Amino acid sequence: MYYCLKYVLNSVILIVLCFSTYAQQIHFLSDHFKGGVTGGGYNPGNVDLAGQIDLNIPVGSTIRKAYLFASATKHYNHTDFPEPRTIVINGQTIGVSMEDALYNNYTDVLYGSQPTYEMRTVVKDITHLNLSSIISIVPPIQIMPPFFWEYYILVLYENNSFPPVAVDVFINEQDADSLMNYPLTTSMVIDPNNAVSLALNASHFCDNIQDGSNVSVNGNLLGLIGGEDYNHIASCTGTTSGFYYENNTLFGLGDDTPTPYMSGSDALANIQNYITNTQLIDVNFVYQSNLGPRSNPINQLFLTYTTTCAPFDVSVTNDTTICQGEQLQLLASSANPNATYEWSVPAGGSSSNPAPGLSCTSCPNPVFSGDSSMFYTVRIWNNDSCSVVRPVHITVKKPPVLPQLTTLKAVCGIASGSINVQQPQESGVLYLVSENGDTLAKPLNKGQNTTQGGLFGGNYTVYFQDSLGCRSDDSSFVIPTSNNTVAGFTVSPQSGGAPLEVAINNTSAHAQNFNWYVNGALQSNPFTGFVADTSGSYQIMLVAWQHDATCADTAYATVNVYDSLIVHVPNVFTPNGDGINDFFSITTNFEVSANVVILNRWGEVVYRFEGNLQAGENKLWNGGSVSDGVYFYKLTMKELTMDNFQLKKEGFVTVVR
């Protein structure tokens, strides 16, 4: 719709500004309960000094909900918003991360038409913290290029001594401009007979001389705001509203006053007198200067009031963290059996059908199956005019990173290997699964090196599970082994004729257990030798180990055994020419090389032979001209196919003619 504002300045100047209205804010929360609402902010700007936020939480009250709104600011040309940081609230550390951010990127135009800063809202549920009426807040160190965090804390407290109070929270997603319009639709009907609070959390208001904004509600000018708030340190940090609302009455905190006006750093107003539509409030900001589309960004707007709607109880799933790949059943319920439900993504003031990652939009209990963190709001309608809005933040935790591992060798068969785990990014448990399925769980502390010993060598599967139960991908690693067992033995002799007696000497090192095999047959221990009765090759194998047979070493040797050389030498022969036993003959079963010498009684050589003899009978000497008598012979033989095998034989032979 087309909207016009009329401002009368100094009673003589009439200013008429007209522009189109459009919703560019997130309706983040609405609630209705007995008690009160209090809020306040602190903007450290580009410094990192601690500050204070004044709240009002009456004694005897119970905190119903508490939220931290952290507005993250980055230079427009910088790629990413700040990395996760930590802040300290009343001595309690919490993290602020873009994991908790809404989908509301908006720009702050500072220099002409060139956008300079981009902003986004991070929301943290801090109900669990120990909060009080004085909040000490220690921001993180600001970093360059410029990254800023700005903080506002809103507390809803229950107290049965107070009447019901209603609250609506709207979060900006509109780029800063010279004319900014926020048509705010409350979730409940406003009772204009009591105070109606409009509180702001704004940024980058340098002053109200040339860098402020005129604020109006339903066409009524509240005043010109700008400049640092009472508890802000750096320059150009802007103004925030400090307030509490209870017992149908608005109260200011710090330098804010509960009047129908705003001025300077007082950004709180009681707009009770400006209510014309009990569920629609138009809030407008007009930049003070005419320097073009410059303005001051609005981060959040808070409406607190009494309502003619009857309170009704609802319950909604708490903010939850799940592991990536898991599903989550969301739960919303109302005491009114006829209540209706509308789930949406808090962006653009509109809902998507179905909302991304949810199985349905209008059911009370959709199933979430997204693979990334999501913010949702669920509006629960009691009737046509009265509803509440609850935010639900689902953090989808990505699989944790497996820490870096290094290994040390194990002695084969001994659980002497180890792994070193280097500075895990988070605490959890490291699981080591061996090849046979044995599992070892090793607790890890974030950033702390640790060692796990007592591991056998071999292949392992490893994965890391964080404190939430999210599991990393499986990985494999090997603990190498060293085997110092050396099998060895000697045999003597290495060859010979059958029967051959073979002696064995065990020379193994770092071994206590032995298996001996001869031609594949297991021998009894201790094994020091054997007799080879027949010819052939005898394969001897030794398997030696110290602790585990799978860590054995093996040694081999071969003994060659041959049949015995049989030599027949006559002790008499008759060289008389009758053809019978006429020669001194040598009979052998192998071809041999021979050296034969025959001597008379005086030691004189009467016959000599040197050469090869064939297998069988070899007729060597016919007695020549020697006379009858006894002669001495010496012979040496070597079988031609057996290396180094010799036979020596001596004896007497008688010559009879």
Side-chain angles (χ1 to χ4, degrees), residues 351-593:
S351 62
S352 55
N353 188 11
L358 297 186
S359 60
C360 62
T361 297
S362 58
C363 61
N365 303 319
V367 175
F368 172 78
S369 56
D371 59 0
S372 60
S373 299
M374 291 291 290
F375 250 115
Y376 297 103
T377 57
V378 55
R379 183 184 290 273
I380 305 174
W381 296 89
N382 192 38
N383 53 45
D384 289 343
S385 300
C386 301
S387 63
V388 293
V389 177
R390 295 287 191 274
V392 177
H393 185 210
I394 304 170
T395 301
V396 177
K397 192 175 186 306
K398 295 180 180 179
V401 177
L402 185 68
Q404 183 178 352
L405 306 177
T406 58
T407 61
L408 295 178
K409 286 183 178 181
V411 175
C412 192
I414 303 177
S416 57
S418 64
I419 61 165
N420 295 323
V421 186
Q422 299 179 4
Q423 297 183 340
Q425 296 180 7
E426 55 187 311
S427 298
V429 179
L430 186 71
Y431 289 90
L432 308 172
V433 184
S434 67
E435 294 175 83
N436 60 8
D438 291 338
T439 302
L440 174 67
K442 178 69 174 179
L444 303 180
N445 293 321
K446 179 180 178 180
Q448 180 177 322
N449 295 341
T450 187
T451 298
Q452 175 62 53
L455 300 176
F456 287 98
N459 298 315
Y460 287 81
T461 299
V462 60
Y463 62 91
F464 177 73
Q465 187 167 293
D466 62 22
S467 57
L468 186 67
C470 300
R471 174 173 166 167
S472 72
D473 294 334
D474 290 352
S475 183
S476 299
F477 74 95
V478 178
I479 293 183
T481 57
S482 60
N483 188 2
N484 57 2
T485 295
V486 178
F489 63 94
T490 60
V491 296
S492 180
Q494 296 181 351
S495 63
L500 182 66
E501 186 173 340
V502 180
I504 293 177
N505 180 31
N506 189 346
T507 61
S508 300
H510 304 293
Q512 299 173 344
N513 302 280
F514 307 96
N515 280 347
W516 293 91
Y517 299 87
V518 177
N519 288 344
L522 180 66
Q523 308 297 306
S524 59
N525 270 312
F527 185 63
T528 58
F530 66 100
V531 176
D533 295 320
T534 60
S535 63
S537 293
Y538 289 79
Q539 301 292 331
I540 305 170
M541 180 176 71
L542 168 61
V543 180
W545 69 94
Q546 188 169 13
H547 303 285
D548 188 338
T550 62
C551 304
D553 189 37
T554 306
Y556 302 88
T558 300
V559 175
N560 293 313
V561 180
Y562 305 95
D563 288 336
S564 297
L565 177 63
I566 300 174
V567 178
H568 175 70
V569 180
N571 57 3
V572 61
F573 72 99
T574 58
N576 54 13
D578 61 359
I580 300 173
N581 198 22
D582 286 336
F583 290 90
F584 175 78
S585 300
I586 296 177
T587 303
T588 177
N589 59 338
F590 293 116
E591 182 181 6
V592 297
S593 62

Side-chain angles (χ1 to χ4, degrees), residues 1 19-27 170-175 180-185 280-284 301 346-351:
M1 83 185 191
F19 49 90
S20 297
T21 62
Y22 51 93
Q24 283 206 335
Q25 69 280 332
I26 295 168
H27 199 165
F170 299 91
I171 298 176
N172 178 58
E173 60 174 358
Q174 180 178 348
D175 291 343
M180 301 176 67
N181 170 235
Y182 297 95
L184 308 179
T185 301
L280 178 62
I281 298 175
D282 271 304
V283 182
N284 298 280
L301 302 96
S350 62
S351 62

Side-chain angles (χ1 to χ4, degrees), residues 22 37 77 91 158 161-162 185 202 210 263 305 321 352 371 382 412 421 481 483 530 603 626 641:
Y22 51 93
V37 178
N77 293 324
E158 293 180 308
S161 64
F162 297 137
T185 301
Q210 62 177 2
S263 177
Y305 52 94
T321 300
S352 55
D371 59 0
N382 192 38
C412 192
V421 186
T481 57
N483 188 2
F530 66 100
V626 300
T641 62

Side-chain angles (χ1 to χ4, degrees), residues 620-657:
L620 296 180
W621 181 44
N622 61 3
S625 60
V626 300
S627 59
D628 292 354
V630 176
Y631 295 84
F632 177 74
Y633 67 84
K634 294 192 299 183
L635 61 90
T636 300
M637 294 185 178
K638 179 180 178 183
E639 202 274 322
L640 296 181
T641 62
M642 290 189 288
D643 295 338
N644 300 321
F645 182 78
Q646 290 185 339
L647 174 67
K648 294 182 178 181
K649 192 175 180 66
E650 297 177 345
F652 296 93
V653 61
T654 301
V655 177
V656 179
R657 293 192 184 271

Side-chain angles (χ1 to χ4, degrees), residues 152-221:
Y152 195 95
I153 292 177
L154 183 73
V155 177
L156 285 56
Y157 53 88
E158 293 180 308
N159 194 315
N160 287 329
S161 64
F162 297 137
V165 62
V167 60
D168 285 278
V169 177
F170 299 91
I171 298 176
N172 178 58
E173 60 174 358
Q174 180 178 348
D175 291 343
D177 207 340
S178 57
L179 305 176
M180 301 176 67
N181 170 235
Y182 297 95
L184 308 179
T185 301
T186 63
S187 59
M188 285 158 281
V189 178
I190 297 174
D191 180 0
N193 295 313
N194 297 301
V196 178
S197 169
L198 172 63
L200 307 175
N201 179 29
S203 299
H204 301 170
F205 285 67
C206 290
D207 53 51
N208 61 350
I209 299 174
Q210 62 177 2
D211 190 37
S213 290
N214 288 292
V215 186
S216 65
V217 170
N218 292 338
N220 300 280
L221 180 63

